[in-house]
């Protein structure tokens, strides 16, 4: 519920919260689809404009995905100057291009970007905190040969790859078997609040460690990100545009609203560069820009990521069950994005078959991300959802052009290496805002429930506080579980260390067993926000969510209307 880190995320979550609140106040009639938009979901802008608009989405995606390796690679026991750090981020971007193209073409057919997510980092850290996968001390690592150091992190990556790929099968089955309607009956706002909020809260230590390397640079990063994403959002700057009627001309656009994260990184990176040039920071300081410059110098220009590039993935029960928490969190988050994106694009509400395909393809994308060895899964990027609302461009063709840019960048290895050398305190400042906004995005679901209800307050307070207490205690006492079976010990340790799983399960269980009225639980307002009912005879909807090819063959198939992920699917109507 990166939201999308962001999900990374600060900008995406800010935009999304506003957009969801605006959508809540709209009526659900057909006139709602005719909102002001430059290019609708089925429109095809000229190719030269598509490239420019795709570049905006690409840059927005980079701002969201770049933070993940800064938490993942140290947990894998990788050295700071390891060249493969850049290869991992290139792999993430490469897989993002593949999955996004599949999603927009044959999945939910909405103009969304599918890529790496912060939600998978929480279970990842819980798995890597097991005694088996904890990193050796620094002296031991330094004494290893280069080959042994490589194997040290690759064996951990193979464990994560297997856990991600196998756990994603659950999401694939949920989507293509059409069980999302059943799941949504039990996934209430009081389930979403702890699940999503704890994604941000659980990573506060990582933000503190990065920011504390130089609080001055981190504070400057926070101030600039706040300035760009909150204060200067309506300030326009001049740029060059082209149209057939006007030719080349000056146009004004919302630079700060579009790229607050990227602008902040570039400016503070420059500040760190000045501090480095004038030796204000001592040699080797994490805030210097030359600490990891060798990564860029030594990285190959081109490298094509491929499945199993770090070795054959391994599978363990503890890893799969732990990673399942990330899969479920991403599923709930993506479902909440679909109606919002459709409204922003002036499209009809996504029908059930589109929702089913979207979740199924997202699970398939997470499988690909695991098999490719990105160390992460896939989820809908909230940043790019926000970009649609700002630019008023909701064409899926633009996102498909962006996929081409992602694939090209994924094979340019040096580009991935450039992002790895961002000064540590700059990343720490981004984390402080990003994780805070992910937490806020989760809390925004409280708008649907009655907060003057002691029942609701009990569920919220217990599910969030107890999950933090238990997970932190488990991480500090990783040998506390002693059942006599090493496999059972590992499974229970990972599950009890994953705060988003404990919080989500606690919130869901308590909300469904403690008596409360539908209004009190927020079910009526939530159902209205997540309204997926549609007019099955709407020709506009039919063309919007149909496959680009093969529809005549599907319509001739008699059983196609019973398959929940096909555009011809006709769900049974509820009896009054």
């Amino acid at each position: 519920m990166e939201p999308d880190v962001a999900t990374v995320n600060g900008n995406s979550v800010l935009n999304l919260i506003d957009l969801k609140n605006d959508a809540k106040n709209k009526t659900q009639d057909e006139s709602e689809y005719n909102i002001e938009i430059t290019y609708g979901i089925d429109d095809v802008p000229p190719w030269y404009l598509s490239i420019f608009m795709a570049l905006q989405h690409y840059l927005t995606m980079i701002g969201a995905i770049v933070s993940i390796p800064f938490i993942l690679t140290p947990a894998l026991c990788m050295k700071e100057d390891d060249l493969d750090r850049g290869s991992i981020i290139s792999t993430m971007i490469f897989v993002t291009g593949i999955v996004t193209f599949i999603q927009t073409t044959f999945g939910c057919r909405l103009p969304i970007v599918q890529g790496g997510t912060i939600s998978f980092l929480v279970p990842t850290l819980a798995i890597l905190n097991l005694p088996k996968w904890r990193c050796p001390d620094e002296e031991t690592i330094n004494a290893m040969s280069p080959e042994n150091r490589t194997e040290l992190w690759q064996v951990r990556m193979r464990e994560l790859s297997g856990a991600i790929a196998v756990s994603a099968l659950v999401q694939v089955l949920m989507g293509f078997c059409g069980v999302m309607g059943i799941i949504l009956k039990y996934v209430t706002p009081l389930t979403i609040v702890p699940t999503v909020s704890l994604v941000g809260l659980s990573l506060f230590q990582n933000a503190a460690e990065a920011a504390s390397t130089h609080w001055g640079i981190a504070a400057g990063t926070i101030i600039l990100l706040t300035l760009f994403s909150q204060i200067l959002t309506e300030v326009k700057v001049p740029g060059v545009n082209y149209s057939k009627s006007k030719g080349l001309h000056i146009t004004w656009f919302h630079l700060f609203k579009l790229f607050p994260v990227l602008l902040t990184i570039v400016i503070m990176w420059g500040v760190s560069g000045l501090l480095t040039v004038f030796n204000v920071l001592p040699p080797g300081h994490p805030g210097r820009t030359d600490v990891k410059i060798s990564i860029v110098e030594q990285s190959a220009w081109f490298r094509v990521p491929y499945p199993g590039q770090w070795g054959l993935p391994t599978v363990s029960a503890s890893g799969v069950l732990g990673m399942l928490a990330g899969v479920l969190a991403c599923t709930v988050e993506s479902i909440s994005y679909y109606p919002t994106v459709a409204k922003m694009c002036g499209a009809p509400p996504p029908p059930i078959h589109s929702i089913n395909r979207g979740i199924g393809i997202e699970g398939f994308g997470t499988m690909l991300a695991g098999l490719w060895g990105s160390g992460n899964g896939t989820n809908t990027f909230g940043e790019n959802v926000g970009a649609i609302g700002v630019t008023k461009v909701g064409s899926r063709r633009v996102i498909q052009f962006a996929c081409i840019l992602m694939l090209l960048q994924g094979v340019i290895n040096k580009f991935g290496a450039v992002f790895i050398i961002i000064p540590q305190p700059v990343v720490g400042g981004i984390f402080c805002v990003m994780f805070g906004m992910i937490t806020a995005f989760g809390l925004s679901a409280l708008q649907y429930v009655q907060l003057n209800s002691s029942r609701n307050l009990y569920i919220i307070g217990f599910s969030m506080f107890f999950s933090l207490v238990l997970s932190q205690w488990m991480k500090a006492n990783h040998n506390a579980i002693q059942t006599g079976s090493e496999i059972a010990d590992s499974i229970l340790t990972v599950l009890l260390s994953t705060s988003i799983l404990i919080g989500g399960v606690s919130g869901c269980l308590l909300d469904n067993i403690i008596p409360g009225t539908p209004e009190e639980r927020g079910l009526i307002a939530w159902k209205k926000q997540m309204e997926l009912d549609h007019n099955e005879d709407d020709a506009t909807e039919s063309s919007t969510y149909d496959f680009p090819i093969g529809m005549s063959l599907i319509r001739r198939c008699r059983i196609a209307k019973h398959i929940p992920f096909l555009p011809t699917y006709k769900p049974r109507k509820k009896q009054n």
Side-chain angles (χ1 to χ4, degrees):
M1 295 194 168
E2 54 254 32
D4 279 55
V5 156
T7 263
V8 167
N9 277 358
N11 181 42
S12 86
V13 176
L14 293 175
N15 285 323
L16 184 60
I17 292 174
D18 290 338
L19 290 166
K20 290 174 77 69
N21 286 337
D22 290 343
K24 180 182 177 184
N25 295 324
K26 293 180 179 179
T27 60
Q28 297 293 327
D29 56 28
E30 187 174 338
S31 64
E32 181 183 337
Y33 309 147
N34 301 321
I35 63 175
E36 179 186 354
I37 191 166
T38 305
Y39 290 104
I41 188 170
D42 295 313
D43 293 338
V44 181
W47 66 268
Y48 47 87
L49 289 182
S50 294
I51 292 177
F52 174 75
M53 291 183 289
L55 182 62
Q56 293 184 108
H57 277 283
Y58 169 75
L59 293 175
T60 302
M61 180 275 302
I62 286 293
I65 205 172
V66 71
S67 62
I68 297 174
F70 283 91
I71 296 178
L72 175 63
T73 52
L76 290 172
C77 313
M78 294 183 72
K79 292 180 66 69
E80 290 189 357
D81 58 353
D82 196 314
L83 300 181
D84 283 325
R85 285 193 171 205
S87 299
I88 289 176
I89 191 171
S90 293
T91 299
M92 288 183 178
I93 297 172
F94 187 80
V95 174
T96 296
I98 295 176
V99 179
T100 300
F101 184 83
I102 297 174
Q103 185 71 280
T104 55
T105 307
F106 298 103
C108 67
R109 301 273 290 156
L110 290 168
I112 59 176
V113 176
Q114 299 269 179
T117 169
I118 298 294
S119 296
F120 275 92
L121 286 178
V122 179
T124 294
L125 297 179
I127 293 170
L128 296 178
N129 195 52
L130 289 172
K132 180 180 180 181
W133 302 119
R134 293 173 72 90
C135 295
D137 58 70
E138 189 172 351
E139 292 182 3
T140 302
I141 295 178
N142 291 334
M144 291 181 175
S145 64
E147 294 78 12
N148 289 337
R149 284 201 297 267
T150 299
E151 179 62 17
L152 180 69
W153 72 263
Q154 286 190 357
V155 69
R156 288 160 173 76
M157 179 63 88
R158 293 195 290 269
E159 175 72 10
L160 294 180
S161 298
I164 292 169
V166 175
S167 64
L169 287 172
V170 175
Q171 194 174 22
V172 172
L173 292 175
M174 285 193 301
F176 291 131
C177 292
V179 299
M180 294 312 304
I182 299 175
I183 293 176
L184 285 175
K185 293 180 181 179
Y186 302 97
V187 178
T188 63
L190 290 178
T191 302
I192 295 173
V193 170
T195 303
V196 182
S197 296
L198 287 166
V199 172
L201 292 176
S202 299
L203 298 173
F204 76 92
Q205 188 173 356
N206 301 88
E209 291 175 355
S212 62
T213 56
H214 194 290
W215 279 111
I217 297 177
T221 303
I222 294 172
I223 291 172
L224 282 183
L225 189 52
T226 304
L227 182 68
F228 295 155
S229 67
Q230 296 293 304
I231 300 174
L232 300 181
T233 53
E234 299 304 320
V235 175
K236 296 183 178 180
V237 299
V240 179
N241 195 7
Y242 173 80
S243 65
K244 290 183 178 180
S245 58
K246 298 181 181 179
L248 285 175
H249 62 280
I250 300 297
T251 185
W252 295 79
F253 66 103
H254 295 92
L255 174 67
F256 304 112
K257 183 182 287 188
L258 278 173
F259 309 119
V261 177
L262 280 177
L263 286 174
T264 300
I265 290 176
V266 170
I267 293 174
M268 292 310 300
W269 202 343
V271 171
S272 296
L274 293 176
L275 297 178
T276 301
V277 170
F278 292 103
N279 289 318
V280 176
L281 302 175
H285 190 280
R288 291 179 65 97
T289 56
D290 57 359
V291 175
K292 295 177 284 189
I293 195 68
S294 61
I295 295 179
V296 178
E297 297 172 347
Q298 298 175 23
S299 295
W301 271 102
F302 299 99
R303 180 182 181 277
V304 180
Y306 57 92
Q309 58 185 328
W310 317 123
L312 188 66
T314 58
V315 179
S316 67
S318 59
V320 171
L321 292 175
M323 205 63 73
L324 192 58
V327 170
L328 296 177
C330 290
T331 300
V332 175
E333 183 178 354
S334 288
I335 291 174
S336 69
Y337 279 122
Y338 292 162
T340 301
V341 175
K343 293 170 186 175
M344 291 164 55
C345 299
I352 296 297
H353 63 77
S354 175
I355 300 291
N356 291 336
R357 284 201 310 276
I359 297 303
I361 293 297
E362 182 172 313
F364 177 70
T366 295
M367 288 179 58
L368 294 184
L371 296 176
W372 246 269
S374 69
N376 205 262
T378 61
N379 192 22
T380 303
F381 272 155
E383 288 80 359
N384 295 88
V385 173
I388 293 174
V390 173
T391 62
K392 305 300 181 185
V393 175
S395 169
R396 70 167 66 91
R397 182 58 57 87
V398 170
I399 301 297
Q400 291 167 341
F401 267 84
C403 294
I404 298 175
L405 297 178
M406 296 173 200
L407 293 174
L408 290 174
Q409 191 279 306
V411 303
I412 304 176
N413 203 46
K414 279 191 182 294
F415 193 85
V418 167
F419 283 99
I420 291 297
I421 67 173
I422 298 174
Q424 192 75 358
V426 175
V427 176
I430 297 293
F431 281 171
C432 289
V433 176
M434 175 198 315
F435 297 159
M437 292 312 302
I438 293 175
T439 302
F441 176 62
L443 294 175
S444 69
L446 292 176
Q447 65 185 295
Y448 304 108
V449 306
Q450 293 182 4
L451 290 178
N452 59 351
S453 166
S454 60
R455 169 198 183 275
N456 293 343
L457 295 178
Y458 177 87
I459 295 173
I460 296 166
F462 177 81
S463 59
M464 294 187 65
F465 188 81
F466 177 71
S467 59
L468 286 174
V469 170
L470 182 58
S471 61
Q472 290 298 316
W473 184 83
M474 288 299 304
K475 291 177 182 178
N477 301 272
H478 49 270
N479 292 319
I481 305 295
Q482 298 291 337
T483 64
S485 170
E486 184 177 350
I487 295 177
D489 292 347
S490 298
I491 292 174
L492 291 174
T493 299
V494 171
L495 294 180
L496 297 178
S497 300
T498 308
S499 58
I500 61 175
L501 178 63
I502 301 300
V505 170
S506 299
C508 182
L509 180 63
L510 293 175
D511 190 34
N512 284 281
I513 64 174
I514 298 178
T517 65
E519 293 84 357
E520 185 180 15
R521 298 173 61 192
L523 299 184
I524 295 178
W526 175 245
K527 182 180 180 181
K528 183 179 180 181
Q529 172 64 26
M530 292 299 299
E531 185 63 64
L532 300 178
D533 291 339
H534 55 284
N535 182 2
E536 296 176 356
D537 299 324
D538 192 331
T540 302
E541 173 202 296
S542 177
S543 61
T544 296
Y545 298 103
D546 281 355
F547 292 144
I549 57 174
M551 284 306 303
S552 59
L553 180 63
I554 292 175
R555 289 194 174 96
R556 287 199 299 267
C557 180
R558 292 184 178 181
I559 65 171
K561 65 180 180 179
H562 302 296
I563 301 177
F565 59 86
L566 291 181
T568 52
Y569 176 61
K570 300 294 184 182
R572 293 181 180 179
K573 295 182 178 180
K574 296 180 180 179
Q575 298 294 330
N576 293 329

